[in-house]
Amino acid sequence: MSGSKPDILWAPHQVDRFVVCDSELSLYHVESTVNSELKAGSLRLSEDSAATLLSINSETPYMKCVAWYLSYDPECLLAVGQANGRVVLTSLGQDHNSKFRDLIGKEFVPKHARQCNTLAWNPVDNNWLAAGLDKHRADFSVLIWDICSKYTPDIVPMEKVRLSVGETETSLLVTKPLYELGQNDACLSLCWLPRDQKLLLAGMHRNLAIFDLRNTSQKMFVNTKAVQGVTVDPYFHDRVASFYEGQVAIWDLRKFEKPVLTLTEQPKPLTKVAWCPTRTGLLATLTRDSNIIRLYDMQHTPTPIGDETEPTIIERSVQPCDNYIASFAWHPTSQNRMIVVTPNRTMSDFTVFERISLAWSPITSLMWACGRHLYECAEEENDNSLEKDIATKMRLRALSRYGLDTEQVWRNHILAGNEDPQLKSLWYTLHFMKQYTEDMDQKSPGNKGSLVYAGIKSIVKSSLGMVESSRHNWSGLDKQSDIQNLNEERILALQLCGWIKKGTDVDVGPFLNSLVQEGEWERAAAVALFNLDIRRAIQILNEGASSGKGDLNLNVVAMALSGYTDEKNSLWREMCGTLRLQLNNPYLCIMFAFLTSEAGSYDGVLYENKVAVRDRVAFACKFLSDSQLNRYIEKLTNEMKEAGNLEGILLTGLTKDGVDLMESYVDRTGDVQTASYCMLQGSPLDVLKDERVQYWIENYRNLLDAWRFWHKRAEFDIHRSKLDPSSKPLAQVFVSCNFCGKSISYSCSTVPHQGRGFSQYGVSGSPTKSKVTSCPGCRKPLPRCALCLINMGTPVSSCPGGSKSDEKVDLSKDKKLAQFNNWFTWCHNCRHGGHAGHMLSWFRDHAECPVSACTCKCMQLDTTGNLVPAETVQP
Amino acid sequence: MFVARSIAADHKDLIHDVSFDFHGRRMATCSSDQSVKVWDKSESGEWHCTASWKTHSGSVWRVTWAHPEFGQVLASCSFDRTAAVWEEIVGESNDKLRGQSHWVKRTTLVDSRTSVTDVKFAPKHMGLMLATCSADGIVRIYEAPDVMNLSQWSLQHEISCKLSCSCISWNPSSSRAHAPMIAVGSDDSSPNAMAKVQIFEYNENTRKYAKAETLLTVTDPVHDIAFAPNLGRSFHILAIATKDVRIFTLKPVRKELTSSGGPTKFEIHIVAQFDNHNSQVWRVSWNITGTVLASSGDDGCVRLWKGNSSVEELLLYVDTLEFSLRNVNSEIF
């Protein structure tokens, strides 16, 4: 310690103070900096604490070891062991006024000078201080001093001398120890045993010894090399740790012959070992030249007897700082907190946390365990500060019947929350596809209907023959532009894009009106412009500016538009060409790009990524020649596939290309719900049979099951089977007659039983069927209900056991269930059963089977069966 | 926002693992007090302990649920060198009335000579199988050929990993395109630069598990490993808890391109590496969609990581939330 390596100690009682000692003693005060700024002059210890230097004491040179006085008063009294074997009491400022002022400066001198290795205050008798010294011939190496040693014979004269001469140095010398132990030996470490205040454990030269002060002639000892740093577990008083080189030995004092345990050896010699004072069985160790503190968590209290009591040790390491650690100290009261000091006296304060294990539940709540405690953490409802995770989104969408609106297909994006532009585009695309497929089928059945779902890419490719372009007049301008003549395929493409409505009419008027209504002024103006109606475009912009909801700048844009001139080198062109790049709205931007472009080159419009794909594609259909269009669509499709952008479904349709696109969408978002519903919207069977599509569907069904949305899952299955009849499960259960072995339901229905449930006998159809109480095959009677003892197949009374007065009320209540009440149910364990309604009402009050002497607990056999579907619990 | 609340766990020692069943209505915890507790969630959302019993003669490291189609089945593993399979039965006494359920031990798996550090049931499409790993570096895969008889488990595979194993994770993908796969992490702390994560894949032809990949860049001790729920993705996501949180993606190279029969080749990318815990990371766990990862570290924090889909970069993860336990922690014990 007199060298470079500092040591560190927490004050035993004033828990916000600690001392760092190397060549001098420095007292620090720790403050929390959670709610305050770092004060000038304080040192940062951790993110939320800092230390301020209170005082420095450099009066005691050659320090070898330091121990803090354990009593409350005086608080800042320390014993310092020196290289010459003297022990000096010193203090750090503050309590010079206290009644213990006499103690300060007191020195305890051994007979022969040698190094003092260790000091230990007695925890009960606070005035006793044990000092461990190096060996000197046959002298004692363990000296126990009483710091208030009144019986020192020369204390009175000394006092006199001090008062008169003021020679404090010599006057406070104490030379007579209370006890002298460990003759002809060296003492390396000491600790008092909490079992009894008179027991002292000492690490001697080659053994561990327990001295009993009641009988100093005797000692208990065990030969070992592990004699350094003896320390008692504060929670288990018979457990002691000591070390030698890189190895820690754990001893049980009741079985002192050999260590109960040695910990895995460290490559470097240990320098400090300390039990955590705030938690059982946690031992911290430090080796030389290391920035790691290794922790050993001993899980069970070891017992000296029994052979299978190998304690579980969880080994951990913490790295409080990047530098090597010179020393560390556990905080006496704060949970698992310690402070470390490095050789250059930087300090850091940290807490060793219990290891936390955690798990997500399927409904996005997180459970974690820390120490012995559990914490549940759930996502708070109605919170918009964070974008919801897809898991939460899918759950909410499943509840809102997302994907199941097959009439107004576009409405699905509203069900999805109306927040995602890609989903909006997707469902509008699917809506138009459905609409025009029906349209086509009506016109020419079996012709081009399937083509619509194949997307614009296929539609455009299928177009035969060249499309001529022709010059069209701008309305309201003396200008002409080349526009492609629209053939059937291009009209269909424009329809899918939503620009024109059903029928042969190619008027964009209705589309513009709907855009204006939704307040999409810029987009409406751009569409108007692309249809060569600059007057309408300006009019829409004015309308937008005056509506109050739109941007007032739209007027300025309208003004700029009206200044349009066809002249190539005009100032207008020049300015628009440069200024358009500063426009924030992509639609305004492409309007000027269009007006300033050279004839036939529309890259400024076509590759403006912020413009919706459908508008760009519609634009391309209007202005690009066949080869250009094909190339452009091809390029855009690949781009969309790469990005997993759902707007691209417009191009790919529900084809293999579409599956590729959806695959990158699922890879990106995990949204199997949209993927499943989209593919089930109208894909041809070979696409639906794609392994990836089947896998998405399977995963989505699994999610619904995990959330206990069984009704939703069933609805999904029904929806699915409409498109993919092969996904219908076969009938799983038949009830066969005891006598002839034929299925009793077989002959009941004329069609083969598709069986969505089980044992659906006598449920539907004509009243004559419900009266059948015997097997339709062999005419033998069916089994009897265990409760009403009537043969199955008989319609049941509405409520068994109910009195007549109740009957009417129950009749209305049970009306919905009346058919189910007729069902034939039985327990798979005891094979007893009866009418479903009777059985259910029996098990409402009973645990055991209604059949006499049958102790089967039919209803409790299946735990999943007792779970309630989550939809019914939802508000 | 997430809000946390405390539940009185009443374990007598450290809790080592928490696990939810398929529906999230039941939970199991295990502890150094050698017991396992089962918790049921009431309709009002409260957790009630419905069973607590001594399972092992040592610290119980992990507990895990089987898929409910196999019944109510738990597996636990312990320092006592065993793993055990438990099943809930309808008791003779009126346990149900007291709100208690009864669990019986169906089997003890005693093949390991050292502490069994992890146990995990295989994805349900593989049948009733479970994997254990132990401190002596062996992964064992057991199968119950008869799902009606949980006392019969046969040791199907023994995979030697050469390094002390700390954690395993099955690839949950049920796609026929993906062979059964298991990732193993090692917490071996000796100062060698050996890779600590190995991935084994089942080979249909040899009927053996063979090493498919080794994550060479992970050389520090690994404490936990977790495949994300696959959810129809074309690649697998693997989270690793070591000195930091790491997320890898494994994209199978299309079978046509590789020679058939051999192990699948993967394109492996590290997509994220976070050192925000600034200490050893202890556990990682994925939410049901594999889009949010929770991690816990020796800094006493639980952190959540969420993929940010609005960014073009695939699976870019951003730190969104963190819970500091500092205040909570000082009150307990």
Side-chain angles (χ1 to χ4, degrees), chain A residues 229-250:
Chain A
V230 289
T231 171
V232 174
D233 184 344
Y235 285 87
F236 183 65
H237 292 165
D238 286 319
R239 186 155 64 180
V240 169
S242 68
F243 65 91
Y244 162 74
E245 293 285 313
Q247 200 155 43
V248 178
I250 309 290

PDB file of all heavy atoms in Angstrom, chain A residues 229-250:
ATOM      1  N   GLY A 229      -5.907 -13.641   3.303  1.00  0.00           N
ATOM      2  CA  GLY A 229      -7.232 -13.042   3.179  1.00  0.00           C
ATOM      3  C   GLY A 229      -8.352 -13.817   3.836  1.00  0.00           C
ATOM      4  O   GLY A 229      -9.420 -13.955   3.254  1.00  0.00           O
ATOM      5  N   VAL A 230      -8.136 -14.346   5.033  1.00  0.00           N
ATOM      6  CA  VAL A 230      -9.228 -15.092   5.682  1.00  0.00           C
ATOM      7  C   VAL A 230     -10.413 -14.160   5.925  1.00  0.00           C
ATOM      8  O   VAL A 230     -10.256 -13.019   6.340  1.00  0.00           O
ATOM      9  CB  VAL A 230      -8.797 -15.759   7.008  1.00  0.00           C
ATOM     10  CG1 VAL A 230      -7.862 -16.910   6.751  1.00  0.00           C
ATOM     11  CG2 VAL A 230      -8.192 -14.743   7.948  1.00  0.00           C
ATOM     12  N   THR A 231     -11.588 -14.659   5.625  1.00  0.00           N
ATOM     13  CA  THR A 231     -12.778 -13.834   5.794  1.00  0.00           C
ATOM     14  C   THR A 231     -13.998 -14.720   6.028  1.00  0.00           C
ATOM     15  O   THR A 231     -14.124 -15.793   5.442  1.00  0.00           O
ATOM     16  CB  THR A 231     -12.978 -12.905   4.572  1.00  0.00           C
ATOM     17  OG1 THR A 231     -14.233 -12.284   4.668  1.00  0.00           O
ATOM     18  CG2 THR A 231     -12.902 -13.663   3.261  1.00  0.00           C
ATOM     19  N   VAL A 232     -14.858 -14.272   6.935  1.00  0.00           N
ATOM     20  CA  VAL A 232     -16.014 -15.078   7.338  1.00  0.00           C
ATOM     21  C   VAL A 232     -17.238 -14.629   6.556  1.00  0.00           C
ATOM     22  O   VAL A 232     -17.451 -13.434   6.372  1.00  0.00           O
ATOM     23  CB  VAL A 232     -16.283 -14.903   8.841  1.00  0.00           C
ATOM     24  CG1 VAL A 232     -17.549 -15.610   9.254  1.00  0.00           C
ATOM     25  CG2 VAL A 232     -15.123 -15.412   9.635  1.00  0.00           C
ATOM     26  N   ASP A 233     -18.011 -15.608   6.127  1.00  0.00           N
ATOM     27  CA  ASP A 233     -19.275 -15.311   5.458  1.00  0.00           C
ATOM     28  C   ASP A 233     -20.223 -14.657   6.473  1.00  0.00           C
ATOM     29  O   ASP A 233     -20.553 -15.250   7.491  1.00  0.00           O
ATOM     30  CB  ASP A 233     -19.878 -16.633   4.960  1.00  0.00           C
ATOM     31  CG  ASP A 233     -21.148 -16.421   4.167  1.00  0.00           C
ATOM     32  OD1 ASP A 233     -21.728 -15.323   4.257  1.00  0.00           O
ATOM     33  OD2 ASP A 233     -21.544 -17.365   3.460  1.00  0.00           O
ATOM     34  N   PRO A 234     -20.665 -13.433   6.225  1.00  0.00           N
ATOM     35  CA  PRO A 234     -21.507 -12.755   7.206  1.00  0.00           C
ATOM     36  C   PRO A 234     -22.875 -13.408   7.388  1.00  0.00           C
ATOM     37  O   PRO A 234     -23.567 -13.147   8.365  1.00  0.00           O
ATOM     38  CB  PRO A 234     -21.652 -11.342   6.636  1.00  0.00           C
ATOM     39  CG  PRO A 234     -21.325 -11.447   5.199  1.00  0.00           C
ATOM     40  CD  PRO A 234     -20.389 -12.596   5.055  1.00  0.00           C
ATOM     41  N   TYR A 235     -23.284 -14.259   6.451  1.00  0.00           N
ATOM     42  CA  TYR A 235     -24.592 -14.903   6.569  1.00  0.00           C
ATOM     43  C   TYR A 235     -24.499 -16.333   7.062  1.00  0.00           C
ATOM     44  O   TYR A 235     -25.490 -16.960   7.359  1.00  0.00           O
ATOM     45  CB  TYR A 235     -25.319 -14.895   5.228  1.00  0.00           C
ATOM     46  CG  TYR A 235     -25.871 -13.544   4.898  1.00  0.00           C
ATOM     47  CD1 TYR A 235     -25.101 -12.598   4.237  1.00  0.00           C
ATOM     48  CD2 TYR A 235     -27.158 -13.205   5.295  1.00  0.00           C
ATOM     49  CE1 TYR A 235     -25.607 -11.344   3.964  1.00  0.00           C
ATOM     50  CE2 TYR A 235     -27.672 -11.957   5.027  1.00  0.00           C
ATOM     51  CZ  TYR A 235     -26.896 -11.031   4.362  1.00  0.00           C
ATOM     52  OH  TYR A 235     -27.405  -9.793   4.104  1.00  0.00           O
ATOM     53  N   PHE A 236     -23.292 -16.867   7.083  1.00  0.00           N
ATOM     54  CA  PHE A 236     -23.151 -18.258   7.469  1.00  0.00           C
ATOM     55  C   PHE A 236     -21.837 -18.350   8.217  1.00  0.00           C
ATOM     56  O   PHE A 236     -20.769 -18.458   7.633  1.00  0.00           O
ATOM     57  CB  PHE A 236     -23.159 -19.129   6.208  1.00  0.00           C
ATOM     58  CG  PHE A 236     -23.098 -20.580   6.505  1.00  0.00           C
ATOM     59  CD1 PHE A 236     -24.152 -21.196   7.170  1.00  0.00           C
ATOM     60  CD2 PHE A 236     -22.009 -21.332   6.128  1.00  0.00           C
ATOM     61  CE1 PHE A 236     -24.096 -22.542   7.448  1.00  0.00           C
ATOM     62  CE2 PHE A 236     -21.947 -22.675   6.415  1.00  0.00           C
ATOM     63  CZ  PHE A 236     -22.990 -23.273   7.072  1.00  0.00           C
ATOM     64  N   HIS A 237     -21.937 -18.271   9.555  1.00  0.00           N
ATOM     65  CA  HIS A 237     -20.768 -17.978  10.360  1.00  0.00           C
ATOM     66  C   HIS A 237     -19.736 -19.075  10.434  1.00  0.00           C
ATOM     67  O   HIS A 237     -18.638 -18.878  10.942  1.00  0.00           O
ATOM     68  CB  HIS A 237     -21.212 -17.567  11.763  1.00  0.00           C
ATOM     69  CG  HIS A 237     -21.918 -16.246  11.758  1.00  0.00           C
ATOM     70  ND1 HIS A 237     -22.663 -15.775  12.800  1.00  0.00           N
ATOM     71  CD2 HIS A 237     -21.991 -15.303  10.806  1.00  0.00           C
ATOM     72  CE1 HIS A 237     -23.166 -14.600  12.490  1.00  0.00           C
ATOM     73  NE2 HIS A 237     -22.772 -14.296  11.284  1.00  0.00           N
ATOM     74  N   ASP A 238     -20.078 -20.247   9.924  1.00  0.00           N
ATOM     75  CA  ASP A 238     -19.091 -21.311   9.924  1.00  0.00           C
ATOM     76  C   ASP A 238     -18.338 -21.396   8.602  1.00  0.00           C
ATOM     77  O   ASP A 238     -17.482 -22.241   8.434  1.00  0.00           O
ATOM     78  CB  ASP A 238     -19.773 -22.658  10.199  1.00  0.00           C
ATOM     79  CG  ASP A 238     -20.164 -22.757  11.659  1.00  0.00           C
ATOM     80  OD1 ASP A 238     -19.364 -22.344  12.507  1.00  0.00           O
ATOM     81  OD2 ASP A 238     -21.277 -23.209  11.932  1.00  0.00           O
ATOM     82  N   ARG A 239     -18.713 -20.506   7.681  1.00  0.00           N
ATOM     83  CA  ARG A 239     -18.082 -20.598   6.365  1.00  0.00           C
ATOM     84  C   ARG A 239     -17.016 -19.505   6.236  1.00  0.00           C
ATOM     85  O   ARG A 239     -17.272 -18.337   6.487  1.00  0.00           O
ATOM     86  CB  ARG A 239     -19.126 -20.462   5.274  1.00  0.00           C
ATOM     87  CG  ARG A 239     -18.568 -20.679   3.899  1.00  0.00           C
ATOM     88  CD  ARG A 239     -19.611 -21.135   2.922  1.00  0.00           C
ATOM     89  NE  ARG A 239     -20.650 -20.138   2.704  1.00  0.00           N
ATOM     90  CZ  ARG A 239     -21.677 -20.321   1.886  1.00  0.00           C
ATOM     91  NH1 ARG A 239     -21.815 -21.466   1.256  1.00  0.00           N
ATOM     92  NH2 ARG A 239     -22.569 -19.389   1.719  1.00  0.00           N
ATOM     93  N   VAL A 240     -15.835 -19.932   5.837  1.00  0.00           N
ATOM     94  CA  VAL A 240     -14.696 -19.027   5.765  1.00  0.00           C
ATOM     95  C   VAL A 240     -14.022 -19.208   4.406  1.00  0.00           C
ATOM     96  O   VAL A 240     -13.965 -20.320   3.889  1.00  0.00           O
ATOM     97  CB  VAL A 240     -13.694 -19.356   6.897  1.00  0.00           C
ATOM     98  CG1 VAL A 240     -12.387 -18.623   6.696  1.00  0.00           C
ATOM     99  CG2 VAL A 240     -14.290 -19.031   8.247  1.00  0.00           C
ATOM    100  N   ALA A 241     -13.573 -18.116   3.854  1.00  0.00           N
ATOM    101  CA  ALA A 241     -12.802 -18.211   2.618  1.00  0.00           C
ATOM    102  C   ALA A 241     -11.387 -17.738   2.875  1.00  0.00           C
ATOM    103  O   ALA A 241     -11.157 -16.831   3.675  1.00  0.00           O
ATOM    104  CB  ALA A 241     -13.438 -17.356   1.530  1.00  0.00           C
ATOM    105  N   SER A 242     -10.419 -18.382   2.212  1.00  0.00           N
ATOM    106  CA  SER A 242      -9.034 -17.901   2.247  1.00  0.00           C
ATOM    107  C   SER A 242      -8.424 -18.241   0.903  1.00  0.00           C
ATOM    108  O   SER A 242      -9.006 -18.998   0.128  1.00  0.00           O
ATOM    109  CB  SER A 242      -8.254 -18.571   3.382  1.00  0.00           C
ATOM    110  OG  SER A 242      -8.089 -19.944   3.096  1.00  0.00           O
ATOM    111  N   PHE A 243      -7.269 -17.667   0.607  1.00  0.00           N
ATOM    112  CA  PHE A 243      -6.708 -17.974  -0.706  1.00  0.00           C
ATOM    113  C   PHE A 243      -5.198 -18.103  -0.662  1.00  0.00           C
ATOM    114  O   PHE A 243      -4.526 -17.719   0.297  1.00  0.00           O
ATOM    115  CB  PHE A 243      -7.149 -16.938  -1.740  1.00  0.00           C
ATOM    116  CG  PHE A 243      -6.632 -15.530  -1.482  1.00  0.00           C
ATOM    117  CD1 PHE A 243      -5.425 -15.102  -2.030  1.00  0.00           C
ATOM    118  CD2 PHE A 243      -7.372 -14.632  -0.719  1.00  0.00           C
ATOM    119  CE1 PHE A 243      -4.960 -13.808  -1.813  1.00  0.00           C
ATOM    120  CE2 PHE A 243      -6.911 -13.343  -0.495  1.00  0.00           C
ATOM    121  CZ  PHE A 243      -5.700 -12.924  -1.039  1.00  0.00           C
ATOM    122  N   TYR A 244      -4.691 -18.699  -1.728  1.00  0.00           N
ATOM    123  CA  TYR A 244      -3.259 -18.867  -1.896  1.00  0.00           C
ATOM    124  C   TYR A 244      -2.998 -18.832  -3.386  1.00  0.00           C
ATOM    125  O   TYR A 244      -3.637 -19.578  -4.146  1.00  0.00           O
ATOM    126  CB  TYR A 244      -2.819 -20.210  -1.297  1.00  0.00           C
ATOM    127  CG  TYR A 244      -1.479 -20.688  -1.781  1.00  0.00           C
ATOM    128  CD1 TYR A 244      -0.309 -20.067  -1.321  1.00  0.00           C
ATOM    129  CD2 TYR A 244      -1.377 -21.745  -2.678  1.00  0.00           C
ATOM    130  CE1 TYR A 244       0.921 -20.492  -1.782  1.00  0.00           C
ATOM    131  CE2 TYR A 244      -0.148 -22.185  -3.135  1.00  0.00           C
ATOM    132  CZ  TYR A 244       1.009 -21.544  -2.686  1.00  0.00           C
ATOM    133  OH  TYR A 244       2.227 -21.965  -3.137  1.00  0.00           O
ATOM    134  N   GLU A 245      -2.124 -17.983  -3.829  1.00  0.00           N
ATOM    135  CA  GLU A 245      -1.872 -17.802  -5.264  1.00  0.00           C
ATOM    136  C   GLU A 245      -3.203 -17.565  -5.981  1.00  0.00           C
ATOM    137  O   GLU A 245      -3.929 -16.638  -5.637  1.00  0.00           O
ATOM    138  CB  GLU A 245      -1.130 -19.016  -5.832  1.00  0.00           C
ATOM    139  CG  GLU A 245       0.289 -19.157  -5.288  1.00  0.00           C
ATOM    140  CD  GLU A 245       1.264 -18.146  -5.886  1.00  0.00           C
ATOM    141  OE1 GLU A 245       1.256 -17.996  -7.099  1.00  0.00           O
ATOM    142  OE2 GLU A 245       2.008 -17.493  -5.124  1.00  0.00           O
ATOM    143  N   GLY A 246      -3.556 -18.453  -6.936  1.00  0.00           N
ATOM    144  CA  GLY A 246      -4.771 -18.228  -7.701  1.00  0.00           C
ATOM    145  C   GLY A 246      -5.960 -19.024  -7.212  1.00  0.00           C
ATOM    146  O   GLY A 246      -6.983 -19.102  -7.889  1.00  0.00           O
ATOM    147  N   GLN A 247      -5.841 -19.641  -6.053  1.00  0.00           N
ATOM    148  CA  GLN A 247      -6.872 -20.561  -5.633  1.00  0.00           C
ATOM    149  C   GLN A 247      -7.571 -20.101  -4.353  1.00  0.00           C
ATOM    150  O   GLN A 247      -6.925 -19.697  -3.405  1.00  0.00           O
ATOM    151  CB  GLN A 247      -6.258 -21.933  -5.397  1.00  0.00           C
ATOM    152  CG  GLN A 247      -7.271 -23.035  -5.436  1.00  0.00           C
ATOM    153  CD  GLN A 247      -6.625 -24.351  -5.804  1.00  0.00           C
ATOM    154  OE1 GLN A 247      -5.557 -24.669  -5.315  1.00  0.00           O
ATOM    155  NE2 GLN A 247      -7.282 -25.095  -6.656  1.00  0.00           N
ATOM    156  N   VAL A 248      -8.902 -20.193  -4.373  1.00  0.00           N
ATOM    157  CA  VAL A 248      -9.678 -19.848  -3.197  1.00  0.00           C
ATOM    158  C   VAL A 248     -10.131 -21.137  -2.536  1.00  0.00           C
ATOM    159  O   VAL A 248     -10.613 -22.046  -3.214  1.00  0.00           O
ATOM    160  CB  VAL A 248     -10.920 -19.007  -3.579  1.00  0.00           C
ATOM    161  CG1 VAL A 248     -11.747 -18.690  -2.343  1.00  0.00           C
ATOM    162  CG2 VAL A 248     -10.507 -17.730  -4.290  1.00  0.00           C
ATOM    163  N   ALA A 249      -9.953 -21.201  -1.221  1.00  0.00           N
ATOM    164  CA  ALA A 249     -10.440 -22.357  -0.474  1.00  0.00           C
ATOM    165  C   ALA A 249     -11.604 -21.917   0.399  1.00  0.00           C
ATOM    166  O   ALA A 249     -11.549 -20.849   1.014  1.00  0.00           O
ATOM    167  CB  ALA A 249      -9.329 -22.943   0.389  1.00  0.00           C
ATOM    168  N   ILE A 250     -12.651 -22.713   0.406  1.00  0.00           N
ATOM    169  CA  ILE A 250     -13.798 -22.436   1.271  1.00  0.00           C
ATOM    170  C   ILE A 250     -13.769 -23.476   2.385  1.00  0.00           C
ATOM    171  O   ILE A 250     -13.681 -24.680   2.124  1.00  0.00           O
ATOM    172  CB  ILE A 250     -15.126 -22.552   0.487  1.00  0.00           C
ATOM    173  CG1 ILE A 250     -15.093 -21.733  -0.805  1.00  0.00           C
ATOM    174  CG2 ILE A 250     -16.306 -22.163   1.374  1.00  0.00           C
ATOM    175  CD1 ILE A 250     -15.105 -20.248  -0.618  1.00  0.00           C
TER     176      ILE A 250
END
